[in-house]
Amino acid sequence: MSTIVYVHAHPDDEASGTSGAMTRLSQEGHRVVIIYATGGDHGTLPEGHEGDLAELRRAEAEASAAITGVQRLVWLDHRDSGMTGWDQNHAEGAFMQADVDEVARQVAAVLDEEDADVIVGYDWHGGYGHPDHVQVHRVTRRAAELAAGRPRYLEATMNRDAGRRLIEAGRAAGIPEEMLWDVDAPMDDGNPFGTPEAELHWAVDVTPWLDAKRAALAAHASQPDAAGLLAMPEQPFAAMMGWEHYSEPGRPDGMVVGWPFVS
């Protein structure tokens, strides 16, 4: 059996991004670990909730892990940096301001402790440019170099071309233009969403695990992003969330439909 370590920026990123593959891995008997860079303390505190947001989001992450079968959660305890240009970018403890090598050594220590076979981070712009996601990319890539076991390194991302196809299908179905999301528009850092298909290496079909993916999102339903995905009808949800995509630096060009985690 293998051990796969995912590094995510905030609680709920695992649910929307990689929960399908994580569920399959755990069901097949592999060990799955998540390292959270932050507690998501700049998320949304639900109306009427009197407790601490970070505590709520940790509890939600634990509930999500119970659904996907993740065996261990590791918290690096950095502050959520907020979106690009927010004052929180420069706050004390903001993850985007952390020393990359220092954090990478923390992550590498977990990799060595777990004898990890694979580490999964994000693409070079974190999928949509959030500063904490970009920092996850830097830290994870460096941690893979520092780890004694030198695990395989994968980058979770989104298929920009698939997004375009979904938009066109929605347009053909008569969905109003204002309801269609332009994946080529500038995201948080000015770059478009995700990664072009020509630069991807792995497409993973997670449609058999969509119920778990929806349930993992429901564990984070206090957050508007998760709630918005949950509000999607079944067919559009399956079209958008039924595939997970990864790049693997150093692998020959070309995206294949397959299973990159266990050889």
Side-chain angles (χ1 to χ4, degrees):
M1 294 295 104
S2 298
T3 298
I4 293 82
V5 176
Y6 289 81
V7 184
H8 280 291
H10 318 97
D12 81 4
D13 288 329
E14 89 294 336
S16 59
T18 61
S19 58
M22 291 191 304
T23 302
R24 175 179 167 180
L25 284 163
S26 63
Q27 288 181 356
E28 291 179 352
H30 303 287
R31 180 169 173 80
V32 182
V33 175
I34 299 176
I35 299 174
Y36 287 111
T38 81
D41 46 289
H42 290 311
T44 300
L45 186 66
E47 186 175 352
H49 184 84
E50 297 181 355
D52 179 76
L53 177 59
E55 290 180 1
L56 170 64
R57 300 202 70 184
R58 285 195 181 214
E60 290 178 334
E62 291 167 0
S64 175
I67 292 160
T68 60
V70 171
Q71 290 94 330
R72 180 186 178 190
L73 304 182
V74 178
W75 299 88
L76 298 184
D77 289 326
H78 294 277
R79 297 293 303 276
D80 186 337
S81 304
M83 304 298 281
T84 300
W86 288 15
D87 290 344
Q88 290 90 340
N89 293 176
H90 306 288
E92 184 178 355
F95 181 54
M96 66 178 288
Q97 301 295 338
D99 181 86
V100 170
D101 276 1
E102 181 179 338
V103 183
R105 284 191 289 271
Q106 291 179 282
V107 173
V110 175
L111 297 177
D112 290 339
E113 181 182 338
E114 291 285 348
D115 193 22
D117 298 282
V118 181
I119 180 171
V120 183
Y122 299 151
D123 68 19
W124 67 272
H125 67 120
Y128 68 106
H130 189 298
D132 287 334
H133 287 240
V134 176
Q135 184 76 324
V136 162
H137 166 78
R138 299 188 190 107
V139 163
T140 308
R141 188 160 190 153
R142 181 63 176 140
E145 297 171 348
L146 293 174
R150 300 305 295 267
R152 281 180 62 203
Y153 169 69
L154 299 175
E155 297 177 351
T157 185
M158 290 75 73
N159 185 332
R160 190 182 305 160
D161 294 276
R164 290 195 193 104
R165 292 191 288 269
L166 285 174
I167 291 168
E168 288 306 316
R171 189 173 286 124
I175 295 176
E177 200 67 30
E178 62 270 17
M179 294 180 65
L180 297 174
W181 182 32
D182 183 3
V183 296
D184 292 298
M187 298 289 122
D188 194 49
D189 64 348
N191 291 293
F193 180 79
T195 300
E197 194 164 277
E199 298 176 16
L200 295 171
H201 296 101
W202 297 98
V204 178
D205 182 3
V206 298
T207 52
W209 296 274
L210 275 178
D211 286 347
K213 195 159 191 171
R214 188 180 282 276
L217 282 163
H220 296 283
S222 71
Q223 300 307 301
D225 287 349
L229 290 169
L230 289 169
M232 295 175 65
E234 184 175 342
Q235 187 172 352
F237 182 87
M240 182 174 179
M241 306 298 286
W243 289 84
E244 295 174 359
H245 295 88
Y246 299 85
S247 300
E248 185 172 0
R251 183 178 171 86
D253 292 345
M255 185 182 77
V256 298
V257 175
W259 186 236
F261 304 99
V262 182
S263 58

